[in-house]
């Protein structure tokens, strides 16, 4: 990335209530833009809000625009499919629309994939060729980084670990904020506050959570045998409360050599969603150079 890090790129994080964007260059966000949106508004209104946000940052120096959305994406065309919390965004050709307006390359991807690629170029993923990023918050998201490149799969489904069957449900019900709300009956933020005060019930809840997360990471290791796991999302802030029980479960992994070599990191990135979306540009540059080197298209 070093030869491209002076390029100016806009990264956009799409959410159901707001859009956050940033002008990124020299490994940092130089300027921010925010726009509150109505997730239930018509498709055209949300698109207009997106464009207004980008317009605040766009100039002649911008080389590309990356957009992260909480949905599956046809990454070849930049078409978003069934965006969570924005019902009207069903099969919206965001890539084509933005390219026609701004005339620069547009990269659109799932927000969890953006997290992983952002960690590669700006965060804990820098030393690794093969790692998995998992986001733990209202849901469970995942991004797969293999051979120094983001791997989305054919249909952008690689890394959807939260949807894998687990116990009586799926991993997302046990490894996201849903675990605290549905299995314990208390909001995760409240559990966190109580744990900080030494509340035994809250600490036990995080211990149980860590066990479930340990099983999720075991499943990921069986599939990808990664060098590192990088944890993001709002629940990462409570890592100290569930690390011990998580690692205890990992010690049960049948291939001890894998656990000995596994590195687990907690994301420290500020502006992670924006940096991750912008990093789609740099990932595309690496893939293009790799294709030229291999003589492929």
């Amino acid at each position: 990335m070093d030869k491209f890090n002076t390029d100016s790129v806009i990264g956009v994080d799409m959410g159901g209530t707001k859009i956050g964007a940033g002008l990124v260059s020299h490994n940092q966000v130089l300027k921010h833009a925010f726009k509150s949106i109505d997730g239930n508004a018509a498709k055209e209104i949300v698109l207009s809000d997106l464009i207004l946000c980008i317009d605040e940052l766009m100039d002649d120096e911008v080389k590309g625009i990356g957009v992260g959305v909480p949905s599956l994406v046809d990454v070849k065309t930049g078409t978003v499919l069934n965006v969570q919390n924005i019902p009207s965004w069903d099969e919206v050709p965001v890539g084509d629309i933005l390219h026609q307006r701004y005339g620069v390359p547009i990269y659109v991807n799932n927000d969890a994939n953006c997290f992983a690629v952002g960690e590669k170029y700006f965060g804990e993923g820098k030393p690794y060729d093969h790692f998995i990023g998992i986001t733990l918050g209202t849901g469970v998201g995942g991004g797969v980084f293999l051979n120094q490149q983001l791997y989305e799969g054919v249909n952008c489904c690689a890394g959807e670990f939260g949807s894998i069957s687990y116990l009586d449900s799926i991993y997302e019900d046990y490894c996201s904020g849903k675990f605290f709300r549905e299995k314990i009956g208390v909001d995760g933020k409240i559990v966190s506050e109580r744990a900080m005060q030494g509340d035994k019930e809250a600490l036990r809840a995080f211990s149980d959570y860590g066990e479930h997360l340990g099983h999720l990471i075991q499943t990921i290791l069986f599939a990808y045998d990664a060098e590192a796991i990088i944890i993001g999302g709002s629940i990462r802030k409570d890592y100290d409360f569930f690390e011990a029980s998580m690692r205890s479960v990992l010690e049960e992994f049948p291939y001890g050599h894998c656990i000995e070599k596994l590195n687990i990191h907690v994301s420290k990135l500020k502006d992670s969603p924006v940096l991750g979306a912008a990093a789609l540009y740099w990932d595309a540059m690496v893939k293009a150079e790799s294709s030229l080197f291999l003589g492929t298209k």
Side-chain angles (χ1 to χ4, degrees):
M1 172 187 164
D2 289 344
K3 71 167 105 176
F4 303 113
N5 68 354
T6 59
D7 289 350
S8 293
V9 181
I10 292 174
V12 182
D13 174 44
M14 289 288 302
T17 59
K18 68 178 181 179
I19 300 170
L23 180 64
V24 181
S25 184
H26 294 82
N27 300 327
Q28 60 183 319
V29 181
L30 303 179
K31 184 180 178 182
H32 290 88
F34 299 96
K35 185 80 172 66
S36 295
I37 66 170
D38 177 2
N40 293 312
K43 174 177 65 177
E44 292 77 15
I45 293 175
V46 179
L47 279 169
S48 177
D49 289 336
L50 171 61
I51 288 170
L52 286 171
C53 201
I54 294 174
D55 281 349
E56 289 187 40
L57 304 172
M58 192 67 190
D59 61 37
D60 293 339
E61 301 299 316
V62 170
K63 301 292 187 182
I65 299 171
V67 182
V69 292
S71 72
L72 293 182
V73 177
D74 182 337
V75 295
K76 291 182 179 179
T77 64
T79 301
V80 301
L81 309 167
N82 304 111
V83 180
Q84 293 182 28
N85 302 320
I86 308 178
S88 66
W89 271 38
D90 182 5
E91 223 171 312
V92 180
V94 173
D96 286 343
I97 291 169
L98 296 184
H99 179 68
Q100 289 176 17
R101 180 174 180 85
Y102 299 109
V104 298
I106 308 296
Y107 309 95
V108 187
N109 217 309
N110 174 270
D111 53 2
N113 287 335
C114 290
F115 168 73
V117 74
E119 288 294 329
K120 175 60 182 177
Y121 291 108
F122 300 105
E124 301 296 317
K126 285 182 179 181
Y128 304 113
D129 294 335
H130 319 279
F131 70 87
I132 307 297
I134 53 176
T135 55
L136 309 173
T138 55
V140 173
V144 179
F145 217 89
L146 300 176
N147 299 316
Q148 301 187 38
Q149 297 176 16
L150 179 66
Y151 175 73
E152 304 102 331
V154 176
N155 299 297
C156 200
C157 287
E160 293 296 320
F161 307 118
S163 297
I164 297 174
S165 296
Y166 177 64
L167 298 180
D168 61 341
S169 186
I170 58 177
Y171 272 116
E172 183 163 294
D173 289 337
Y174 286 88
C175 298
S176 72
K178 292 181 181 179
F179 172 73
F180 302 102
R181 294 192 304 273
E182 298 178 4
K183 304 298 180 181
I184 299 175
V186 181
D187 184 80
K189 185 177 180 181
I190 295 174
V191 178
S192 177
E193 292 171 352
R194 292 177 180 175
M196 290 179 184
Q197 296 168 1
D199 181 86
K200 290 183 179 180
E201 185 178 0
L203 292 171
R204 190 179 306 114
F206 273 117
S207 179
D208 292 343
Y209 175 86
E211 290 182 11
H212 298 308
L213 182 60
H215 286 294
L216 171 59
I217 294 175
Q218 281 198 23
T219 298
I220 292 171
L221 292 178
F222 279 124
Y224 289 104
D225 188 21
E227 296 175 274
I229 302 290
I230 302 174
I231 298 173
S234 58
I235 300 178
R236 81 185 192 282
K237 299 174 183 177
D238 296 305
Y239 184 69
D240 289 346
F241 296 133
F242 59 80
E243 178 186 8
S245 58
M246 176 196 74
R247 289 190 180 275
S248 179
V249 170
L250 290 178
E251 290 300 320
E252 302 169 0
F253 194 68
Y255 308 121
H257 182 66
C258 297
I259 299 302
E260 290 175 6
K261 296 180 67 176
L262 179 67
N263 298 280
I264 299 178
H265 299 276
V266 177
S267 175
K268 300 180 182 66
L269 273 185
K270 183 182 178 181
D271 296 319
S272 176
V274 167
L275 287 170
L280 295 172
Y281 165 84
W282 287 288
D283 187 60
M285 297 300 102
V286 171
K287 286 177 178 175
E289 285 203 336
S290 176
S291 295
L292 288 172
F293 177 76
L294 295 173
T296 61
K297 293 184 180 180

